[in-house]
Amino acid sequence: MLFGRNKKNPIKLVDKGVVEWRYTTCGYCSTGCSIEVGLDQTGTAVASRGVADADVNRGKLCIKGILEHELFRKTAGRGDKPLLRDYRHETFREVSWDAALDKTTAEIKRIQETYGRDAFSIVSTGQIMTEEFYTLGKLARGVMGTNNYDGNTTLCMASAASGYKRSFGSDGPPGCYEDFDHTDCLIAFGSNLPEQHPVIYWRLKEALEKRKFPVIVVDPRVTMFAQMADMHLAITPGTDVVLLNAMAHVILKEGLHKQDYIDAHCADFEAFKTEIERWDPYTASQQCGVDEDTIRNVARLYAKAPKAMSIWTMGINQSTHGSDGVVAINNLNLITGNIGKPGSSSLSITGQCNAMGTREWSSCSGLPGYRVLEKEKDREEISKFWNVDPEFFPKKRGMFMTDILPAIETGQIKGLWLVATNPMTSMPNTSRIRKTLEKLEFLVVQDAYSDVETNQYSHVFLPAAVWAEKEGCFTNTERRVNLIRNVMPPNGESKPDLWIFNALAKRLADGKGPSFPETAEAVFEEMKVLSKGEDRILDISGMSYAKIEAQRGMQWPCREGDETGAQRLYTDGKFQHPDGKAKLIPLAFVDNNERPDDEYPFWLNSGRVVEHFHTRTRTGKVGNANKFSPTPYMEMNPDAAAEVGVSHGGYARLTSKRGEAVVMVQLTQRVSRNMVFIPFHFHDCVNRLTLGLLDPHSRQPAYKQCSVRIEPAADQVAAAAANAAARAY
Ligand SMILES: Nc1nc2c(c(=O)[nH]1)N[C@H]1C(S)=C(S)[C@@H](COP(=O)(O)OP(=O)(O)OC[C@H]3O[C@@H](n4cnc5c(=O)[nH]c(N)nc54)[C@H](O)[C@@H]3O)O[C@H]1N2
Ligand SMILES: Nc1nc2c(c(=O)[nH]1)N[C@H]1C(S)=C(S)[C@@H](COP(=O)(O)OP(=O)(O)OC[C@H]3O[C@@H](n4cnc5c(=O)[nH]c(N)nc54)[C@H](O)[C@@H]3O)O[C@H]1N2
Ligand code: SF4
Ligand SMILES: [Mo]
């Protein structure tokens, strides 16, 4: 055996016959790992490996990345031909690209001419390339002129973007992963890093191996992250703002704040202080479920650490106080002077591989390059650059995704184009979404997979190339722009999203208006021009595809002539509000969640598992990922299960005010007696139950807070029947 005899090289990897490695970036989560895909002699993709000299992942990948080349296999459900049907319940017929695009163009024109430009709406994603986002934005705002254009990032990062803008005057996470190597205290709110961003977690663990500092995890559930933390604060769902206000109270009361930093760089301290007076730890503990001593202890730890940082993900964003939660985290970091220094940050861990790219360049919430519709100067600049009349742009952003769908119910919106998002599984209260989609006069679905649930309701399906079947950039959590080189040709007749946008632009623009470059690199060069400027933080003009690949990703801002990008924002304490200061924003708290009661006694919490990505259009087909988690299940506390009579490995029916779902029961102490947790990856499952009240600032749904009743379901057959019945209403 090799073992023992060859201690220096004990592991022998299987030789897969790779003759060439091609450079890309992972297309799942926002960590932004650099990947090389190995091709064998026949040109088949046979392996994926982490790129050793990439700063983000340093050779590492998680299970999804390691198996990512399997996406290039021809699998059932992968879209390979454009499909069309004239009536919703008719079967699809395969058609040529011309026929599918002509039909789409005709329907967009008909709907806009009949009901007005805004009656046709577009919902995109965080999972296509930045160049594609920019092109879609140009088409939506500069050619079609619909104001009801948004992305699924409203389900994901909207609260972070909104909170950053409110506090700092601009979106953009100010920190980076390297901050772990410098910080003296880290607090994580509603983030399960080991499962959802495994390689960021690995970076944190590496830092901790070299230098010990306290890690505090705030999460109602004992996650993998909570298990490794020094302190776990099992907060009452939806009350992070209360905890953060109380921490600020302790810090101000005990004089642990940095008055110099506040005086020099923050506005509205007095108003903030007045609100914070009310939030003594005792009062707060009654609401947030964290005892007052722990609140004091954590506040002191954080404020006394020479450098402290906060990270957060969906436990904060997906709440009716999502935007306020982000602001509260920013407040904490501002009063303790923890912004823009190594190890000091307010770092939102983003979600999808290119959730940042859409925020930066898609024009969903405004105009490209962090420009807004509300500013005349921004409208003028873009109208000149795109060759459109400035009056063509609306002066205010239109509806968010979570308002677009209800507007279909009320008849304001008649046509919808979905690009790389699957609301039939991912939106709250999916039985309502089903009825909503049925009301549309025209639905076009542009997706890499034709078996995506939303496609059941479409008139036209446009098959898109996936991941490295095309070329372009993603921006990760630490503002790093990284490159996906084209590794394989698109599957079947599917086309890169950029090609599809350009083909529709040609038809819709009739030769007028903006020009649409054909290659991703040409689009990137155009974006660079728009990004340039002393006062623009999102400057990418110093980058090029060649430089990005050579450096394995570059962070913005990277100004013309810069060799590398900047690691952090606001290092000089100058913020993006007109007065150059950050705002300290007082936060009142209104408890408006649906809460457990006698009829629905359990909190329903939802989220993710490591081996699946979202609605499983991709990981559901990667055998070794799916095998780990093939069945819809719920985590339930054993004592609670005994009370309601459900058993480990058995089935249970959950009922909320919205609907029902049946899942397998997994007993665990990870959840408390009055809470269950269900991964949202499965269709007809947790989102049949969720309420999804919206945050008033970001319009993001509160996926993580609602209440349910639980009862045993006889067996799997009964469960299947119940599910089918549920589907019928
Ligand atoms: N494997 C895998 N990785 C992914 C994804 C995936 O689908 N699969 N998706 C990517 C995307 S788009 C995203 S947005 C991220 C999401 O990444 P995360 O946000 O880390 O993942 P979630 O499991 O959705 O939620 C995180 C935690 O929030 C907690 N939580 C619930 N309510 C509250 C609350 O009121 N307060 C606090 N403090 N915590 C609460 C939950 O218990 C849960 O453990 O993951 C990205 N990475
Ligand atoms: N209950 C509950 N629900 C949730 C959440 C939760 O925590 N709990 N989390 C929410 C969050 S944070 C998010 S981000 C959303 C995600 O929700 P969705 O965006 O609806 O889910 P995905 O499955 O990622 O859908 C992306 C689609 O894009 C397709 N696709 C992939 N690559 C390409 C490409 O290159 N081109 C094209 N055209 N298509 C492509 C995929 O096949 C897939 O159908 O779910 C939200 N829903
Ligand atoms: S950590 Fe995220 S980016 Fe890295 S390999 Fe895994 S899914 Fe891909
Ligand atoms: Mo997300």
Side-chain angles (χ1 to χ4, degrees):
M1 292 276 106
L2 262 180
F3 236 43
R5 264 198 281 146
N6 185 354
K7 281 201 177 122
K8 276 197 176 149
N9 185 16
I11 297 166
K12 180 101 178 78
L13 293 176
V14 180
D15 181 1
K16 294 190 175 156
V18 173
V19 294
E20 187 192 347
W21 292 97
R22 291 201 185 152
Y23 185 81
T24 70
T25 305
C26 179
Y28 289 113
C29 89
S30 65
T31 302
C33 297
S34 292
I35 297 190
E36 282 174 337
V37 177
L39 305 182
D40 71 7
Q41 242 164 0
T42 68
T44 308
V46 290
S48 306
R49 69 177 184 191
V51 176
D53 60 353
D55 186 56
V56 167
N57 53 315
R58 304 171 185 180
K60 297 278 187 297
L61 293 176
C62 80
I63 174 171
K64 292 181 296 303
I66 289 169
L67 300 171
E68 203 153 353
H69 60 280
E70 293 191 18
L71 291 182
F72 299 130
R73 288 187 187 159
K74 289 198 186 315
T75 52
R78 190 55 219 280
D80 57 1
K81 294 225 167 51
L83 304 172
L84 191 146
R85 58 182 154 208
D86 292 312
Y87 303 99
R88 186 170 287 110
H89 296 295
E90 188 180 79
T91 38
F92 273 129
R93 57 184 188 281
E94 291 176 358
V95 292
S96 66
W97 270 103
D98 276 340
L101 294 168
D102 287 348
K103 170 78 177 177
T104 305
T105 307
E107 284 294 308
I108 293 173
K109 284 188 171 164
R110 180 185 68 77
I111 287 171
Q112 290 196 308
E113 275 159 22
T114 316
Y115 305 105
R117 290 202 318 234
D118 292 343
F120 190 87
S121 95
I122 307 169
V123 176
S124 88
T125 180
Q127 294 172 51
I128 57 176
M129 276 98 180
T130 311
E131 296 81 350
E132 296 175 330
F133 281 130
Y134 173 72
T135 304
L136 174 60
K138 200 196 278 182
L139 173 59
R141 298 247 175 245
V143 176
M144 293 165 64
T146 174
N147 199 9
N148 293 324
Y149 160 50
D150 195 28
N152 71 356
T153 36
T154 291
L155 313 181
C156 179
M157 300 315 302
S159 295
S162 151
Y164 275 143
K165 286 181 197 161
R166 289 167 69 200
S167 298
F168 304 147
S170 171
D171 188 14
C176 59
Y177 308 151
E178 204 222 71
D179 284 326
F180 300 146
D181 299 330
H182 305 282
T183 198
D184 301 301
C185 181
L186 181 137
I187 179 160
F189 295 90
S191 158
N192 188 12
L193 214 54
E195 291 203 66
Q196 270 65 85
H197 301 88
V199 172
I200 304 183
Y201 174 64
W202 171 75
R203 289 283 303 269
L204 174 63
K205 265 192 10 188
E206 284 271 295
L208 281 164
E209 272 169 25
K210 292 189 203 118
R211 209 172 40 85
K212 182 63 194 151
F213 53 90
V215 172
I216 300 144
V217 168
V218 183
D219 195 306
R221 188 173 150 244
V222 190
T223 56
M224 274 171 76
F225 203 5
Q227 286 169 38
M228 66 73 75
D230 299 288
M231 292 175 76
H232 171 218
L233 277 48
I235 193 164
T236 301
T239 62
D240 297 76
V241 170
V242 173
L243 170 68
L244 280 149
N245 275 347
M247 283 173 66
H249 178 100
V250 175
I251 291 167
L252 295 183
K253 191 132 221 151
E254 300 187 4
L256 302 173
H257 56 292
K258 298 274 182 310
Q259 194 65 51
D260 290 356
Y261 187 87
I262 296 169
D263 291 343
H265 305 298
C266 304
D268 304 337
F269 178 57
E270 287 308 319
F272 173 74
K273 215 165 111 184
T274 308
E275 174 66 32
I276 287 302
E277 283 283 326
R278 295 174 42 212
W279 293 99
D280 66 278
Y282 172 74
T283 310
S285 72
Q286 303 303 301
Q287 261 182 306
C288 73
V290 179
D291 67 85
E292 51 181 313
D293 272 348
T294 303
I295 297 175
R296 283 197 190 92
N297 188 7
V298 170
R300 287 173 194 144
L301 263 177
Y302 200 85
K304 287 181 181 170
K307 284 163 272 148
M309 67 185 288
S310 323
I311 62 171
W312 75 92
T313 320
M314 289 306 125
I316 290 287
N317 290 357
Q318 289 173 346
S319 142
T320 48
H321 312 99
S323 174
D324 280 357
V326 174
V327 167
I329 293 171
N330 295 339
N331 285 342
L332 172 70
N333 288 310
L334 288 168
I335 60 169
T336 54
N338 278 307
I339 298 281
K341 292 184 299 190
S344 295
S345 193
S346 215
L347 182 64
S348 139
I349 306 291
T350 55
Q352 304 163 85
C353 53
N354 205 16
M356 281 299 294
T358 182
R359 284 150 72 177
E360 295 158 9
W361 290 104
S362 72
S363 310
C364 272
S365 63
L367 291 166
Y370 284 163
R371 289 175 177 84
V372 293
L373 286 161
E374 290 76 7
K375 275 194 196 150
E376 190 181 347
K377 182 170 164 277
D378 290 356
R379 292 196 305 270
E380 289 285 340
E381 264 173 24
I382 298 298
S383 66
K384 216 191 272 153
F385 196 80
W386 283 353
N387 187 27
V388 288
D389 181 349
E391 287 306 312
F392 191 65
F393 294 142
K395 297 188 174 55
K396 231 171 97 184
R397 74 163 288 175
M399 291 181 199
F400 290 72
M401 177 182 187
T402 41
D403 294 311
I404 287 174
L405 284 137
I408 297 168
E409 283 181 353
T410 56
Q412 285 163 277
I413 285 171
K414 304 286 187 185
L416 175 65
W417 177 12
L418 291 174
V419 181
T421 186
N422 185 13
M424 263 312 305
T425 303
S426 60
M427 280 282 284
N429 197 359
T430 45
S431 34
R432 182 169 163 201
I433 300 295
R434 186 181 299 275
K435 288 187 204 141
T436 304
L437 295 182
E438 288 212 311
K439 271 201 85 173
L440 285 164
E441 288 186 13
F442 182 70
L443 172 65
V444 50
V445 166
Q446 176 171 330
D447 202 287
Y449 292 86
S450 55
D451 63 357
V452 56
E453 285 82 18
T454 319
N455 208 17
Q456 293 163 22
Y457 304 90
S458 71
H459 299 85
V460 170
F461 171 72
L462 304 175
V466 79
W467 187 44
E469 291 177 355
K470 46 188 185 170
E471 192 161 65
C473 293
F474 294 155
T475 310
N476 78 352
T477 289
E478 53 172 6
R479 308 179 324 282
R480 190 182 297 271
V481 177
N482 210 342
L483 188 63
I484 296 90
R485 286 283 186 200
N486 182 201
V487 170
M488 296 291 277
N491 173 54
E493 287 174 29
S494 70
K495 297 282 188 193
D497 294 276
L498 181 63
W499 184 94
I500 302 173
F501 299 144
N502 279 343
L504 276 168
K506 217 171 261 158
R507 283 168 168 79
L508 285 160
D510 292 330
K512 296 189 284 281
S515 66
F516 286 85
E518 271 177 30
T519 66
E521 191 161 4
V523 178
F524 189 81
E525 290 301 317
E526 183 173 316
M527 287 158 40
K528 275 166 60 175
V529 179
L530 270 184
S531 80
K532 218 182 294 185
E534 270 302 299
D535 57 337
R536 309 212 73 82
I537 58 169
L538 171 51
D539 190 335
I540 55 169
S541 58
M543 299 182 188
S544 69
Y545 272 19
K547 267 171 88 177
I548 295 171
E549 181 170 351
Q551 296 187 26
R552 277 67 174 101
M554 300 177 78
Q555 285 166 286
W556 61 255
C558 176
R559 305 191 189 277
E560 200 166 30
D562 287 353
E563 257 329 290
T564 57
Q567 281 185 298
R568 296 175 186 85
L569 301 180
Y570 314 126
T571 46
D572 55 0
K574 201 169 160 290
F575 293 87
Q576 291 284 304
H577 284 301
D579 61 359
K581 295 203 167 177
K583 279 198 167 63
L584 283 167
I585 303 174
L587 301 166
F589 180 79
V590 180
D591 192 352
N592 56 0
N593 281 322
E594 182 176 80
R595 302 180 134 267
D597 58 17
D598 290 346
E599 204 180 342
Y600 302 98
F602 291 92
W603 281 108
L604 173 64
N605 183 359
S606 67
R608 299 155 162 79
V609 296
V610 64
E611 53 275 350
H612 276 309
F613 193 78
H614 291 178
T615 69
R616 289 164 66 248
T617 53
R618 283 181 277 170
T619 50
K621 297 178 189 84
V622 175
N624 276 320
N626 199 37
K627 248 189 322 214
F628 284 107
S629 192
T631 315
Y633 72 93
M634 103 176 137
E635 290 181 353
M636 189 176 193
N637 181 287
D639 296 337
E643 253 169 57
V644 298
V646 303
S647 56
H648 187 67
Y651 287 83
R653 177 176 298 107
L654 292 92
T655 310
S656 76
K657 285 186 184 153
R658 273 72 56 196
E660 293 186 350
V662 174
V663 290
M664 183 187 266
V665 179
Q666 293 290 294
L667 298 187
T668 169
Q669 297 287 351
R670 289 173 74 166
V671 283
S672 60
R673 276 180 82 130
N674 69 343
M675 173 180 291
V676 293
F677 175 85
I678 303 183
F680 91 97
H681 306 294
F682 301 90
H683 181 60
D684 266 345
C685 190
V686 73
N687 279 332
R688 295 186 51 78
L689 305 164
T690 46
L691 169 58
L693 289 175
L694 301 179
D695 178 279
H697 298 276
S698 68
R699 312 301 287 157
Q700 181 157 351
Y703 282 108
K704 300 217 182 313
Q705 293 101 32
C706 72
S707 59
V708 290
R709 172 171 80 227
I710 298 171
E711 59 206 345
D715 54 27
Q716 200 168 5
V717 179
N723 258 348
R727 221 172 288 146
Y729 63 72

